[in-house]
Structures are given as structure tokens and as C-alpha cells.
Amino acid sequence: MELAVFNSVDRDEAIRTLTPCLDISRWVEDVADARPFTSVDELLGQARQAAEPFTPEEVESALAHHPRIGERPKAQTTEAAMSRSEQAGVDPSDDGTAAALAEGNRAYEEKFGRVFLIRAAGRSAQEILASLQERLTHTPEEEDTIVAGQLREIALLRLAGVISEGENA
């Protein structure tokens, strides 16, 4: 969607556009209500500011919509399509890596009580696995900070992919 169109749609349509980027109502509403934006950079700046900080409840709610790393979501939603694209570097036919990710996911969920979240876009399966193994050594408090940061990164990347300057920029 072009920025000019995003600026001009009604609030409900703006919210529907933003929600697949990050399903945290406060964030979505803050960004939608800050329109109009003069540039995508201004939009991303507002989105970044609205994401500082996320509450623990917001993080937990947002994680409910994220698939495990290495598992391709099958739903036909915009969010699922974004996730499939972001996880393109994880080859499900690589049995060794897939098994290591599955075991790491299980250990992470057992330790932290939530799915392992990482900005997968631009990372190889080996990089993701190395990060997963390193993050398993963290305390819950350290991990809370990292997860909130990963959510911000994912939201901003998705938003940058959804809203463009348009031809007249």
C-alpha cells in the first residue's frame, strides 16, 4: 500500500493493514492514530517509538501468533504469508538442522514457557540455530528484553514491506 493511501484510509482499514505486522492493539492504534505521515521513515520512526517499551502482557499476546522457527504456518493469512517469507532461510528438507531446531524449540519452550522468537529474515538456519542455542543460556529477564527487541525488529521489517512511498515520493 502506498503511504498516501495508508494516510487516507479510515481508521479501521489502517488497523487492518497494521495488525499483521504486529498484533498488539496499543501499537497498532498508536501508529494508525499518528497519521498522516510525510514519509515512510517518519512512519517507521513512529512505529519504533510506539514499540518502546512493550509490556510483558503485550509480548505474550503477540507471541501467540508466531509459529515455531522451522515450522511453516499453513494458514492463509497475511501474517502467515509474512512468516513463511521471513523463514525462507530455514530449509525444512535439511533433516539435521530441522531436528536441532525442533529440539532447541522444545528446550526453549520448556525453559521460558513461550515460543522462541527471532527475526528470521536475512538469517540462515545455522545462524538461527546458533542464536537459539546461545539464548538458551540466558536468564528469563535477559530473554524478556531480547524477545521484545525481536518483536520490534519483525514489526518494523513487516511494516516497511507493507507501506511504500509510492511513485510521487
Side-chain angles (χ1 to χ4, degrees):
M1 175 181 286
E2 289 186 6
L3 181 63
V5 173
F6 178 70
N7 282 334
S8 68
V9 297
D10 67 34
R11 185 176 191 265
D12 289 343
E13 180 66 20
I15 286 171
R16 281 191 296 276
T17 300
L18 293 166
T19 299
C21 299
L22 180 64
D23 196 359
I24 293 178
S25 296
R26 179 194 53 80
W27 180 84
V28 168
E29 291 169 6
D30 285 357
V31 175
D33 293 342
R35 296 173 304 143
F37 298 102
T38 59
S39 67
V40 170
D41 284 344
E42 182 185 357
L43 165 64
L44 293 173
Q46 174 63 35
R48 188 176 297 106
Q49 182 179 355
E52 300 274 350
F54 290 133
T55 68
E57 294 78 19
E58 288 172 330
V59 169
E60 292 308 313
S61 173
L63 287 177
H65 303 283
H66 281 271
R68 289 178 181 93
I69 290 291
E71 294 181 5
R72 295 287 200 265
K74 302 204 183 334
Q76 296 303 311
T77 64
T78 301
E79 187 174 15
M82 289 174 170
S83 185
R84 283 190 294 273
S85 174
E86 292 159 0
Q87 288 198 42
V90 180
D91 181 359
S93 67
D94 179 348
D95 292 338
T97 301
L101 284 170
E103 175 57 27
N105 281 328
R106 185 202 57 73
Y108 186 93
E109 288 174 27
E110 189 175 291
K111 180 173 182 176
F112 297 109
R114 62 179 170 227
V115 298
F116 170 69
L117 182 77
I118 189 168
R119 178 195 43 79
R123 290 186 167 133
S124 71
Q126 294 305 319
E127 290 171 312
I128 292 168
L129 182 57
S131 183
L132 171 55
Q133 291 167 339
E134 188 263 325
R135 285 174 54 188
L136 279 166
T137 68
H138 292 167
T139 66
E141 295 76 21
E142 290 170 321
E143 205 46 28
D144 287 349
T145 300
I146 291 169
V147 170
Q150 293 299 299
L151 270 176
R152 277 189 292 279
E153 286 185 31
I154 292 166
L156 293 172
L157 281 171
R158 287 179 175 183
L159 184 56
V162 170
I163 308 293
S164 67
E165 292 288 349
E167 295 178 21
N168 297 326

